[in-house]
């Protein structure tokens, strides 16, 4: 977790100075924002606990929240990596659905219905590998058009989104596939030590993406191309390789989301969960990821997801419609952006005031 | 010869026009029904709502923004106008004016938030779109309105031809509104002061504000205009399908955006022309109709659109890069 009071690294000497300062800036940037989001989450918990005594702060409610969070969470991570790199991936839902359809097709039509024991696991691993390869392919193609042909990621993924959904609909004729082995369904309805398996997957993946983005060379390079693609290229980074990695990683997170979604809905189709697309952008921005690229942290995103889930569960318990929840999510995003704008204006005034004091 | 053609072929619109001519020739040879008068008229009418929305989205794209709340705005204004007409008997023109004014107002909300929060407009409009749409479904409960008044649903035919084969081709209200919107948008963007300022804003916002362009006022115009057109598109859509369904327009955001982009409008702003957007719509319409007549499964159509978008943006990117390289060389030569 980041510490908002963590001091800036002293300006180091040597050839790596700009890079080190950049790393320090990345580590520091989420600080104030994260504190605000945590306060908001705490506030929401308090309000719902008072409004719903004995119903909200309960093991069952918390567990229900953990069951609902993973699919949106994994898809938001798939959106977050391109956003940090200064791009966007509008094809995440299409990718996840197509991967789910491929895996579902293998499990429902290719696997013999009387398979048992080890055979089931064999078929599941075949299906998972096929989905994995499909997502790598989609990521490579997207990354190639973005990096090598040099088209804006919004345009590219608008095209791939239409193309991928088109192929899914064409091959399935709009039908859904369902009826998967129990071993797969278990992911989304069983718990280990009170924690749903799907939530465990999400937590491990989120931690992995966090470490990748903040501690690995590729992660720092992703931040750098988000800040300034040209100057990153001139500083000797192969930006094409980084951009291709961004879309491969994003598509692989879609593959994980696809597995969780298959387990949760027990079906796969070309048009499932389309409404999640814009919500993942909403969650990422709420979590403090800079829409212009270059800045953003997984911790902020996770807190933002918890905020959205808390609003949703709280409203559900209060008996409000799910649509009102969506409206409140929109309001929350605007309010948080307004608060951020207000505090940054205040900070700027404070800084210029303290700068003038010594005179 | 090459020099003569250079100004024509360097523009993405002309390459789009060439593609359209080729596609039309192929389809005309392979199907006798393609490009008959009645077929063309039906085709144009079925793309009227998309074209009206794409015109508004085009203006926002030129200004350097992206607005995806238009589908929600169209749904909300459509429903409120329909409520006014059915419950309170509001006559035709006040009801249409109400829809357009409400749309413009909602567009202005987007402009104000974008300007004062200093956030990219795609993020703002994702938030407002969720709010508009969610509140609409919440208050209506997703209910539909079927008993629209006659003035709304009656087909208005301005002209009617009888073709040689005995079919009728009609010039209908949606087509007339669509043509008006295209002409007005074209004039706004190419012949007015405000239009030039919108290009300037999209090309370089910093420079635009330095030369004294009032950005807030311009953004209110741009987003308000899209909202206005969304109100109009909502009206036309209900006119065509004879009912108001809150979820009918939902999910069309990305396809309208794709149409505007296919026609050469750039996401970076400052580029594109209304003519290009019309060509983009034309290409999609012709492809859909031609594939239909050839008996290709309608399920395959999205695959074709996706490929068309990917090819078009890739070709545009490559030609623009080559153009820039050429310009760089000639500038060097001058020095």
């Amino acid at each position: 977790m980041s510490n908002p009071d963590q001091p800036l690294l002293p300006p180091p000497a040597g050839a790596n100075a700009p890079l080190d300062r950049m790393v320090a800036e990345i580590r520091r940037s989420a600080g104030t924002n994260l504190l605000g989001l945590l306060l908001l989450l705490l506030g929401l918990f308090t309000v719902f606990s008072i409004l719903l005594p004995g119903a909200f702060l309960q093991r069952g409610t918390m567990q229900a929240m953990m069951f609902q969070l993973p699919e949106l969470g994994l898809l938001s991570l798939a959106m977050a990596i391109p956003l940090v790199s200064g791009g966007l991936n509008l094809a995440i839902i299409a990718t996840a659905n197509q991967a789910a359809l491929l895996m579902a097709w293998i499990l429902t039509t290719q696997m013999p219905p009387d398979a048992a024991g080890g055979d089931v696991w064999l078929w599941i691993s075949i299906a998972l590998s096929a989905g994995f390869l499909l997502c790598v392919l989609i990521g490579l193609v997207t990354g190639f058009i973005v990096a090598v042909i040099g088209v804006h990621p919004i345009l590219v993924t608008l095209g791939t989104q239409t193309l991928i959904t088109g192929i899914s609909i064409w091959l399935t004729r709009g039908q859904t596939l369902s009826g998967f082995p129990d071993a797969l369904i278990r992911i989304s309805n069983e718990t280990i030590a009170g924690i749903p398996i799907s939530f465990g997957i999400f937590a491990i993946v989120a931690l992995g993406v966090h470490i990748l983005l903040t501690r690995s060379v590729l992660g720092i390079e992703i931040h750098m191309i988000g800040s300034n693609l040209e100057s990153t290229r001139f500083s000797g980074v192969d930006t094409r390789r980084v951009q291709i990695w961004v879309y491969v990683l994003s598509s692989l997170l879609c593959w994980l989301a696809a597995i969780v979604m298959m387990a949760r809905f027990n079906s796969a189709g070309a048009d499932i969960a389309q409404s999640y697309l814009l919500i993942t952008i909403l969650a990422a921005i709420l979590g403090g990821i800079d829409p212009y690229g270059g800045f953003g942290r997984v911790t902020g995103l996770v807190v933002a997801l918890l905020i959205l889930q808390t609003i949703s569960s709280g409203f559900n318990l209060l008996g409000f419609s799910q649509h009102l929840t969506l409206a409140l999510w929109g309001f929350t995003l605007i309010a948080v952006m307004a608060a951020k704008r207000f505090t940054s204006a205040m900070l700027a005034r404070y800084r210029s005031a303290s700068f003038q004091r010594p005179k | 010869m090459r020099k003569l053609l250079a100004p024509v072929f360097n523009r993405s619109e002309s390459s789009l026009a060439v593609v359209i001519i080729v596609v039309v020739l192929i389809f005309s040879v392979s199907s006798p029904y393609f490009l008959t008068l009645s077929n063309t008229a039906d085709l144009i009418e079925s793309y009227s709502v998309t074209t009206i929305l794409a015109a508004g989205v085009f203006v926002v794209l030129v200004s350097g923004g992206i607005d995806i709340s238009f589908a929600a705005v169209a749904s909300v204004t459509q429903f409120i106008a329909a409520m006014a007409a059915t419950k309170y008997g509001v006559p035709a023109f006040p009801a249409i004016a109400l829809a357009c004014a409400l749309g413009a107002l909602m567009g202005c909300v987007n402009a104000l938030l974008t300007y004062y929060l200093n956030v990219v407009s795609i993020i703002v409009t994702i938030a407002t779109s969720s709010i508009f749409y969610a509140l609409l479904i919440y208050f209506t409960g997703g209910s539909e309105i079927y008993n629209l008044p006659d003035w709304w649903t009656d087909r208005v035919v301005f002209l009617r031809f009888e073709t040689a084969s005995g079919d009728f081709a009609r010039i209908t209200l949606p087509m007339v509104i669509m043509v008006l919107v295209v002409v007005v948008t074209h004039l706004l963007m190419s012949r007015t002061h405000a239009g030039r300022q919108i290009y300037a804003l999209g090309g370089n916002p910093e420079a635009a504000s330095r030369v004294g362009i009032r950005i807030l006022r311009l953004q209110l115009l741009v987003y308000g205009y899209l909202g206005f057109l969304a109100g109009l598109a909502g009206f036309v859509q209900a006119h065509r399908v004879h009912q108001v369904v809150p979820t009918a327009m939902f999910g069309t955001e990305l396809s309208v955006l794709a149409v505007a982009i296919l026609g050469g409008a750039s996401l970076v702003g400052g580029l594109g022309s209304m003519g290009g957007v019309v060509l983009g719509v034309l290409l999609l319409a012709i492809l859909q109709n031609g594939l239909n007549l050839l008996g290709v499964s309608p399920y395959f159509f999205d695959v074709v659109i996706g490929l068309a978008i990917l090819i078009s943006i890739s070709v545009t990117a490559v030609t623009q890069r080559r153009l820039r390289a050429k310009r760089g060389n000639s500038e060097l030569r001058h020095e």
Side-chain angles (χ1 to χ4, degrees):
Chain A
M1 294 294 274
S2 79
N3 177 359
D5 300 324
Q6 184 181 351
L8 258 176
L9 291 181
N16 280 332
L19 205 60
D20 286 344
R21 228 176 292 134
M22 170 94 193
V23 174
E25 181 63 30
I26 290 167
R27 295 210 173 130
R28 199 179 54 90
S29 66
T32 47
N33 179 43
L34 191 64
L35 191 68
L37 286 177
L38 281 171
L39 284 176
L40 179 58
L41 182 61
L42 198 70
L44 282 169
F45 258 80
T46 320
V47 168
F48 284 128
S49 307
I50 294 169
L51 287 177
L52 295 156
F56 186 72
L57 273 180
Q58 268 209 333
R59 194 153 162 261
T61 310
M62 296 298 123
Q63 217 171 42
M65 284 171 65
M66 283 194 272
F67 272 121
Q68 287 161 14
L69 188 71
E71 68 233 23
L72 182 61
L74 289 167
L75 288 169
S76 300
L77 286 171
M79 184 62 89
I81 295 180
L83 269 173
V84 170
S85 81
L88 200 68
N89 189 354
L90 293 174
I92 52 170
I93 310 291
T95 308
N97 278 336
Q98 190 161 73
L101 276 171
L102 176 66
M103 295 189 278
W105 177 74
I106 291 174
L107 289 176
T108 53
T109 64
Q110 299 303 299
M111 183 174 85
D114 53 350
D119 271 2
V120 175
W121 283 107
L122 178 69
W123 279 103
I124 287 181
S125 47
I126 291 174
L128 294 186
S129 331
F132 183 92
L133 290 177
L134 176 70
C135 287
V136 169
L137 179 72
I138 291 174
L140 283 175
V141 170
T142 312
F144 177 81
I145 303 178
V146 171
V148 179
I149 303 185
V151 186
H152 194 290
I154 295 184
L155 293 179
V156 179
T157 55
L158 199 60
T160 52
Q161 184 253 2
T162 314
L163 181 62
I164 295 168
T165 311
I167 292 174
S168 299
I169 290 178
W170 175 47
L171 292 177
T172 62
R173 296 288 186 272
Q175 307 267 311
T176 55
L177 298 173
S178 56
F180 308 135
D182 284 339
L184 188 71
I185 304 295
R186 233 171 267 154
I187 292 176
S188 81
N189 62 12
E190 279 194 13
T191 60
I192 296 176
I195 293 181
I197 298 175
S198 56
F199 189 82
I201 295 176
F202 166 68
I204 293 167
V205 171
L207 186 68
V209 174
H210 173 76
I211 291 172
L212 174 91
L213 282 179
T214 52
R215 298 282 184 269
S216 77
V217 174
L218 180 66
I220 303 301
E221 285 170 348
I222 290 175
H223 280 93
M224 285 168 68
I225 63 168
S227 265
N228 192 330
L229 185 70
E230 286 297 303
S231 57
T232 309
R233 176 157 47 228
F234 284 127
S235 64
V237 174
D238 183 356
T239 52
R240 292 178 175 188
R241 181 185 57 86
V242 179
Q243 277 184 318
I244 291 174
W245 263 114
V246 165
Y247 292 94
V248 171
L249 286 172
S250 174
S251 301
L252 284 178
L253 287 164
C254 294
W255 169 66
L256 289 168
I259 298 169
V260 171
M261 273 160 59
M262 279 171 79
R264 195 161 130 77
F265 303 135
N266 193 13
S267 68
D271 277 331
I272 288 179
Q274 295 286 2
S275 59
Y276 275 157
L277 178 61
L278 298 181
I279 294 173
T280 58
I281 304 179
L282 192 146
I285 304 301
L286 183 65
I289 290 170
D290 189 337
Y292 294 101
F295 299 99
R297 304 197 60 171
V298 173
T299 41
L301 174 63
V302 170
V303 178
L305 285 166
L306 289 174
I307 288 174
L308 296 181
Q309 187 60 53
T310 307
I311 293 175
S312 169
S313 300
F315 266 41
N316 194 19
L317 286 172
L318 283 171
F320 287 124
S321 119
Q322 203 58 35
H323 298 293
L324 213 55
T325 304
L326 183 62
L328 197 67
W329 286 0
F331 275 120
T332 309
L333 178 61
I334 289 180
V336 167
M337 288 189 300
K340 218 181 280 180
R341 179 110 180 94
F342 182 68
T343 46
S344 69
M346 290 282 284
L347 267 179
R349 203 173 299 161
Y350 172 77
R351 281 202 191 119
S352 65
S354 62
F355 181 68
Q356 279 160 359
R357 219 172 291 146
K359 278 187 180 174
Chain B
M1 186 65 189
R2 225 174 162 188
K3 225 177 198 172
L4 199 79
L5 286 177
V8 182
F9 280 102
N10 277 341
R11 302 184 56 183
S12 62
E13 284 106 67
S14 4
S15 45
L16 206 55
V18 172
V19 172
I20 289 174
I21 292 170
V22 172
V23 171
V24 166
L25 284 178
I26 294 173
F27 284 140
S28 309
V29 172
S30 22
S31 166
Y33 300 104
F34 186 70
L35 270 197
T36 57
L37 205 58
S38 60
N39 180 21
T40 313
D42 291 347
L43 195 62
I44 295 173
E45 198 190 303
S46 70
Y47 270 84
S48 52
V49 175
T50 307
T51 311
I52 295 169
L53 289 172
V57 171
F58 156 69
V59 175
V60 173
L61 286 176
V62 170
S63 83
I66 302 177
D67 186 334
I68 54 155
S69 68
F70 56 84
V73 171
S75 307
V76 171
T77 54
Q78 190 185 51
F79 197 89
I80 291 177
M83 285 295 284
T86 51
K87 279 236 167 108
Y88 305 103
V90 176
F93 283 103
I96 299 172
L98 175 72
C100 293
L102 262 176
L105 196 71
M106 290 157 94
C108 288
V109 170
N110 285 333
L112 289 171
L113 286 173
T114 306
Y115 183 81
Y116 284 111
L117 296 183
N118 197 20
V119 185
V120 272
S121 52
I122 185 172
I123 306 296
V124 169
T125 53
I126 285 173
T128 54
S129 168
S130 312
I131 295 171
F132 294 153
Y133 187 71
L135 289 181
L136 174 71
I137 301 293
Y138 177 68
F139 284 114
T140 63
S143 62
E144 295 148 12
I145 299 179
Y146 293 108
N147 55 340
L148 289 176
D150 291 341
W151 59 259
W152 196 328
T153 54
D154 277 352
R155 208 163 185 206
V156 184
V157 178
F158 289 92
L159 270 176
R160 194 177 155 122
F161 311 97
E162 194 172 347
T163 58
S165 56
D167 284 342
F168 286 109
R170 303 177 185 85
I171 305 286
T172 56
L173 185 64
M175 294 157 132
V176 172
I177 292 179
M178 175 186 84
V179 171
L180 278 178
V181 166
V182 167
V183 170
V184 168
T185 309
H186 174 71
L187 291 178
L188 168 75
M189 296 304 282
S190 64
R191 293 279 181 275
T192 69
H193 203 59
R196 301 319 297 172
Q197 289 187 336
I198 293 171
Y199 275 100
L201 175 66
N204 190 336
E206 182 65 33
S209 92
R210 293 278 169 98
V211 297
I213 291 174
R214 289 197 224 161
I215 292 183
L216 176 61
R217 225 172 52 173
L218 208 55
Q219 279 186 339
L220 284 172
L221 171 71
V222 167
Y223 293 91
Y225 185 65
L226 172 57
F228 175 87
L229 290 186
L232 200 59
F235 168 77
V236 173
Q237 195 263 345
H239 168 75
R240 291 196 59 227
V241 301
H242 295 200
Q243 61 191 31
V244 168
V245 183
T247 52
M249 317 267 287
F250 195 62
T252 59
E253 294 93 345
L254 293 187
S255 53
V256 172
L257 191 61
V259 165
I261 283 162
L262 191 63
S266 144
L267 281 180
V268 193
L271 289 174
S273 72
M274 192 61 232
V277 175
V278 171
L279 287 179
V281 177
L282 211 58
L283 177 63
L284 286 190
I286 289 171
L287 277 176
Q288 177 164 32
N289 190 241
L291 292 175
N292 234 337
L293 291 176
L294 289 184
V296 176
S297 153
Y299 289 115
F300 192 68
F301 185 57
D302 274 349
V303 180
V304 175
I305 300 187
L307 283 175
I309 295 171
L310 285 177
I311 293 170
S312 141
I313 56 178
S314 301
V315 169
T316 310
V318 170
T319 45
Q320 273 178 0
R321 198 185 307 155
R322 210 168 287 162
L323 209 68
R324 225 176 297 143
K326 209 183 281 172
R327 262 190 218 140
N329 283 343
S330 63
E331 268 164 34
L332 281 181
R333 230 173 291 139
H334 281 303
E335 285 172 24

